[in-house]
Amino acid sequence: MPDAPRSSFVPVHVDIDWQRVRKIVSRTALLAAAIPLTAGATVMAIDKVRGQRYPLDARFPTAPPTDTTIDDTTATVYTYGADLYEAMLDAIAQARHTVFLETYIWKGDPTGERFKEAVSDAARRGVQVYVIFDGFANLVVPPSFFVFPPQVHVLRFPALRAGLLTLNLRHSGRDHRKILVVDDEVAFVGGYNIGELYATKWRDTHLRLRGPAAWELRNAFVDFWNRWRGAKHPVLQDRGAEHWQPALRAARNAPSDLVFPIRGIYLDAIDRATHHIYITQAYFIPDRDILDALLAAAARGVDVRVLVPERSNHALADWLARGRYTRLLRGGVRIMLYQGAMVHAKTATIDGRWSTVGTANIDRLSLTGNYEINLEIVDDGVATTLEDVFRMDESNSREMTYEEWAGRSPLNKVAEKILEPLEPLL
């Protein structure tokens, strides 16, 4: 038999300059990261100039504090910072045993000074005072402001944490909560930080509990204090609840334990909706599950409305939020844009029965990143009050239509795509 034909294939040896390849890959990655980061910085710079020319300082409607009784607890809704601060300062002034104050931002301005003096005075007259503030959020405040009398127990949540660079959730979350509990009898929670700006210039929502349900916020403060206290800090007693109030419960996000129930209460409530969903948010960047839940509700005939600032104090958050507008508007969700001022509330009410008031925004940082607390309330009276507040805020809003949104400039559409990779940061 003849020999089989030999293959004409000749192996070719190719030298690959791996060092050059690595350089190309590295430079490409850096360029890919630099483009959205540069765009984000540009957006914020432009917005800063715009904010100086057109400040968010227009007058806006507010409502007087409104009470609702839930079992043995009185819940009061506040929509104006000056009213809230007077109630908080009055509670501190009347304290007999304990004051627990936790805040994200505490400005060193006249309003901040009033709160500092109030807790200092309480401590001097023998009240046990415990204060928590977030170090990172207050970097611009002079350190001397946070020097209290020795009787005040102060916990500064660290500004720099090990997980920030590696995006490790257990070691990177901020303390975004705002809580005041006095004598285990009266407690406050909501979106208001402490400062002059928030007293009169921002529209926000806070809730006061007077009665047994104050335990929900006391327990949240005590758990956080004991988790993060240093050796110099005393241990707070973890008391059980003598009174169970299932209609009013606190949901607490705790990144160190990878526990994030606030997202869950939103998803559960949205899935139950049959008539209407009213959401007010400062920064609305829902994840896929919440977005899908809202669209599913709208598809089954629920009146879904989301009220957000037309221009907030965080331009980048505004741009990233707009990336959801196309799907929301196409799906029948109505978007209300608050005019002339910053609306900072974190509230929702559904079907005249379920409500939430708290500190969490509907974005990644709040729902799966920061320490947050929201009250979940199943009560017709509170829901009615918050629906009235929502309609009040609607009177200072304009509705974004799909036609208007679809007609935005091509430059805006390109900018939205370029900024999209920055979403994990917010």
Side-chain angles (χ1 to χ4, degrees):
M1 294 181 64
D3 293 337
R6 295 181 180 179
S7 171
S8 60
F9 174 76
V10 177
V12 177
H13 179 70
V14 178
D15 289 325
I16 299 176
D17 187 345
W18 289 108
Q19 185 175 0
R20 180 178 174 81
V21 170
R22 281 193 293 270
K23 283 184 178 180
I24 293 172
V25 171
S26 297
R27 289 173 180 173
T28 302
L30 287 172
L31 180 62
I35 291 174
L37 288 172
T38 302
T42 302
V43 164
M44 289 187 287
I46 292 172
D47 187 71
K48 185 174 182 179
V49 173
R50 182 185 179 192
Q52 292 171 344
R53 294 184 62 187
Y54 307 103
L56 294 168
D57 59 0
R59 294 176 65 99
F60 51 85
T62 63
T66 305
D67 294 343
T68 301
T69 300
I70 309 172
D71 294 337
D72 296 324
T73 295
T74 300
T76 306
V77 175
Y78 291 88
T79 63
Y80 191 55
D83 293 337
L84 170 70
Y85 292 161
E86 291 306 318
M88 293 173 71
L89 290 165
D90 181 63
I92 295 170
Q94 295 186 47
R96 304 182 309 277
H97 308 296
T98 56
V99 171
F100 301 150
L101 176 60
E102 179 178 359
T103 188
Y104 181 59
I105 295 173
W106 191 339
K107 297 289 190 183
D109 57 22
T111 292
E113 288 283 359
R114 290 183 69 194
F115 274 87
K116 179 180 178 179
E117 191 62 27
V119 297
S120 299
D121 285 347
R124 292 189 191 101
R125 65 176 185 266
V127 176
Q128 292 294 306
V129 177
Y130 298 81
V131 168
I132 303 172
F133 67 93
D134 188 87
F136 179 80
N138 294 285
L139 285 175
V140 298
V141 180
S144 59
F145 175 79
F146 291 107
V147 176
F148 292 85
Q151 302 96 321
V152 179
H153 305 290
V154 180
L155 193 162
R156 177 182 181 272
F157 194 72
L160 299 177
R161 305 189 60 215
L164 287 174
L165 295 178
T166 60
L167 299 180
N168 184 329
L169 284 180
R170 288 183 182 270
H171 304 287
S172 61
R174 308 309 321 162
D175 179 16
H176 193 243
R177 311 190 318 173
K178 299 95 177 170
I179 296 173
L180 171 65
V181 185
V182 176
D183 290 343
D184 300 347
E185 296 172 359
V186 58
F188 298 78
V189 70
Y192 278 101
N193 292 291
I194 297 174
E196 289 282 288
L197 175 67
Y198 318 118
T200 58
K201 301 297 184 182
W202 283 25
R203 232 304 285 138
D204 212 329
T205 301
H206 231 71
L207 194 70
R208 180 182 67 187
L209 303 178
R210 186 182 294 277
W215 178 90
E216 296 285 336
L217 300 177
R218 179 199 190 276
N219 189 57
F221 184 97
V222 168
D223 285 351
F224 190 89
W225 177 275
N226 288 339
R227 169 67 177 81
W228 292 103
R229 70 180 184 86
K232 65 177 182 179
H233 297 117
V235 176
L236 286 172
Q237 292 300 311
D238 187 5
R239 300 172 185 166
E242 296 180 0
H243 181 86
W244 287 58
Q245 204 157 342
L248 201 163
R249 302 287 298 276
R252 297 180 276 164
N253 283 2
S256 60
D257 301 319
L258 298 182
V259 172
F260 303 102
I262 298 174
R263 180 175 178 273
I265 68 171
Y266 266 110
L267 286 169
D268 180 71
I270 292 168
D271 283 348
R272 293 174 186 271
T274 60
H275 187 265
H276 62 266
I277 298 171
Y278 300 155
I279 295 173
T280 302
Q281 283 287 305
Y283 320 111
F284 183 69
I285 313 173
D287 61 28
R288 182 172 61 185
D289 290 341
I290 293 180
L291 182 62
D292 288 347
L294 291 172
L295 292 171
R300 63 177 180 265
V302 176
D303 177 10
V304 182
R305 306 185 196 186
V306 178
L307 191 148
V308 295
E310 177 150 23
R311 179 167 64 92
S312 81
N313 64 319
H314 289 304
L316 189 55
D318 295 344
W319 278 90
L320 294 175
R322 292 168 193 151
R324 307 294 194 276
Y325 283 9
T326 299
R327 286 194 65 196
L328 288 167
L329 292 169
R330 276 182 178 170
V333 174
R334 299 176 65 185
I335 298 175
M336 309 296 172
L337 302 176
Y338 200 72
Q339 299 295 294
M342 175 63 188
V343 59
H344 190 249
K346 300 95 167 56
T347 63
T349 184
I350 294 178
D351 287 353
R353 301 175 63 191
W354 178 94
S355 304
T356 187
V357 177
T359 68
N361 300 300
I362 297 182
D363 61 17
R364 190 204 65 81
L365 275 182
S366 278
L367 296 186
T368 58
N370 289 334
Y371 292 88
E372 305 279 4
I373 182 165
N374 269 47
L375 289 177
E376 181 181 28
I377 307 163
V378 182
D379 179 80
D380 295 358
V382 171
T384 296
T385 297
L386 289 176
E387 287 180 1
D388 289 342
V389 171
F390 187 88
R391 283 188 280 270
M392 175 188 75
D393 290 336
E394 274 192 320
S395 72
N396 192 54
S397 304
R398 72 177 188 87
E399 184 169 359
M400 167 68 75
T401 65
Y402 178 73
E403 291 72 24
E404 178 188 349
W405 178 244
R408 68 195 186 285
S409 74
L411 183 60
N412 281 8
K413 296 177 183 178
V414 171
E416 290 159 19
K417 288 296 182 183
I418 291 174
L419 293 169
E420 201 171 80
L422 299 180
E423 186 178 309
L425 301 178
L426 298 177

